[in-house]
Amino acid sequence: MKRSSGARLCATVAVGALSLALVTGCSSDDSKKDKGTKGSGSGAGSSSSSAPAAAALTTAELEKLLLAQGEVEGYKVASGDDILPKSKAGVKTDKAACDPLAWATAGLAPGDTNANASNSVSEDKASTATAQPEDIADAFNIAMTFVGLSSYEGDGAEKAMKAVSDGVTACSGGYGLSAEGENSKVTKVVAEKGTGGGDEAVAFAEDVDMDGEGTATFHTEVIRKGNTIATFYTVNFAALASGEATKIPAAVVQAQVAKLK
């Protein structure tokens, strides 16, 4: 397996492309080293009768609702500006119905809105970095969750959730994905049970072709509370390299949903 050029590149590939480059690029001991205004307990969509608010929050208001440092014990928060794709224009699929899935995974708004904010929440492990290879490898053994918030006018949030739920069904056989200049192939999409919360939730898993060297499974969760939608996607580079499963941490989901209005 190839070695990588660094954590920032690895994270960009992980969120944007979900390709072989993620594995071959992220199990690395090389040391070389993109967010703009972006926006589950159930499987393919559980909903309540709660009506969404009429007016969307602004991007600035969403930024204030993102998790902040110290709000989730055992985790540290970063802006994600240098990791997440900058806009939907940089994330494309070969099936329009699959766009909301790709956007949600990339921390972008899954629906039609310009009110979007995002950040990253990572396990806060004490640094033990030395020149030893095992310590360098351990630096990648951290679960990083990319969180996106988006807000919508009228029933826009409910429409966005339906688009995600419909996408899980329409894209069950997979789709092609191009993001940040990297191409990859999602071979399967299935609904699954997530942490849940809010008024409506959709959770799904995607199997991604690792350039003929098997597949890797990635998990995404989308939760609506009123007219605000939160998306969650977690990656652990060391786990990917070893084939271990990486779940979205419930503590992060619950803390973020609790902050939504």
Side-chain angles (χ1 to χ4, degrees), residues 93-95 97-98 101 167-177 184-190 205-209:
T93 75
D94 60 1
K95 297 179 183 178
C98 306
L101 307 186
V168 172
T169 300
C171 305
S172 60
Y175 61 92
L177 174 64
S184 60
K185 175 66 178 178
V186 176
T187 61
K188 182 173 70 173
V189 180
V190 296
E206 297 177 295
D207 285 354
V208 179
D209 177 53

Side-chain angles (χ1 to χ4, degrees), residues 40-48 161 165 196-197 199-202 224:
S40 188
S42 66
S46 65
S47 65
S48 78
M161 292 298 295
S165 181
D199 300 319
E200 191 174 3
V202 178
R224 177 180 70 82

Side-chain angles (χ1 to χ4, degrees), residues 96-187:
C98 306
D99 286 347
L101 307 186
W103 294 335
T105 298
L108 296 161
D112 185 13
T113 183
N114 291 320
N116 198 185
S118 59
N119 66 1
S120 64
V121 184
S122 306
E123 290 179 294
D124 190 7
K125 293 186 176 180
S127 175
T128 57
T130 70
Q132 300 304 311
E134 60 269 24
D135 294 321
I136 297 173
D138 188 60
F140 286 95
N141 190 21
I142 295 175
M144 178 182 292
T145 301
F146 300 97
V147 181
L149 297 183
S150 54
S151 189
Y152 304 77
E153 298 285 348
D155 63 352
E158 290 179 321
K159 289 180 178 178
M161 292 298 295
K162 184 177 187 302
V164 174
S165 181
D166 289 349
V168 172
T169 300
C171 305
S172 60
Y175 61 92
L177 174 64
S178 175
E180 301 297 304
E182 297 285 346
N183 296 319
S184 60
K185 175 66 178 178
V186 176
T187 61

Side-chain angles (χ1 to χ4, degrees), residues 189-240:
V189 180
V190 296
E192 63 179 4
K193 183 178 177 62
T195 302
D199 300 319
E200 191 174 3
V202 178
F204 58 93
E206 297 177 295
D207 285 354
V208 179
D209 177 53
M210 293 291 112
D211 201 23
E213 297 185 13
T215 62
T217 301
F218 300 86
H219 305 273
T220 303
E221 191 160 357
V222 184
I223 298 174
R224 177 180 70 82
K225 188 171 181 180
N227 67 333
T228 300
I229 289 178
T231 65
F232 305 88
Y233 167 77
T234 301
V235 63
N236 180 313
F237 306 130
L240 283 172

